[in-house]
Amino acid sequence: MAQQVITFDPDIAVPMGVNLTIFSGADFNTTFTIKTSAGSSINFTGYTGRSNIKKSAIGTANTFGVTLGDTDGKVTLSLGSTVTRGLDEGRYLYDVNVSSGSTFFKIMEGNVLVRTGIST
């Protein structure tokens, strides 16, 4: 997937809606650059990230690997092929949260379309 740039304003703290597509049985890896409304990259130094993918809000979650760049505002989400192989085809929900101490932001959320092959 091509790298995407999204805008997140920490003062308003409304997550950006971003939809994803995952192909069952394939490694999934996508990187976003998070910028402020003024156009500068968000500094994630000292932050940790967490992201879940679920079939429904009350369903069992799988966890995306989340890697945060320190000063470049990069957020990379990943799932290995073993995990994607276990996902049934269909629509899922996901979100990406970052935190440092008592500071918490949900920076992204959206739908994930999981696709399986139609031929062998």
Side-chain angles (χ1 to χ4, degrees):
M1 177 178 265
Q3 190 177 62
Q4 298 182 48
V5 176
I6 64 171
T7 302
F8 177 78
D9 186 342
D11 295 328
I12 299 171
V14 174
M16 180 62 103
V18 180
N19 295 328
L20 306 172
T21 301
I22 294 175
F23 292 92
S24 179
D27 288 331
F28 174 80
N29 190 325
T30 189
T31 300
F32 299 91
T33 300
I34 314 300
K35 299 211 175 240
T36 66
S37 54
S40 60
S41 295
I42 292 190
N43 185 341
F44 287 121
T45 301
Y47 280 78
T48 58
R50 180 164 174 78
S51 180
N52 288 320
I53 175 174
K54 297 169 126 182
K55 192 72 168 162
S56 68
I58 58 172
T60 303
N62 284 296
T63 302
F64 277 110
V66 178
T67 305
L68 300 176
D70 288 335
T71 59
D72 62 1
K74 302 259 191 250
V75 174
T76 300
L77 303 178
S78 59
L79 280 176
S81 61
T82 303
V83 175
T84 66
R85 191 173 295 112
L87 297 174
D88 293 330
E89 185 171 40
R91 186 177 66 88
Y92 290 73
L93 306 171
Y94 86 101
D95 60 10
V96 178
N97 303 303
V98 296
S99 62
S100 177
S102 63
T103 303
F104 172 89
F105 296 112
K106 180 181 292 194
I107 58 173
M108 295 167 43
E109 67 181 9
N111 295 305
V112 178
L113 178 61
V114 175
R115 307 277 315 258
T116 59
I118 59 171
S119 58
T120 57

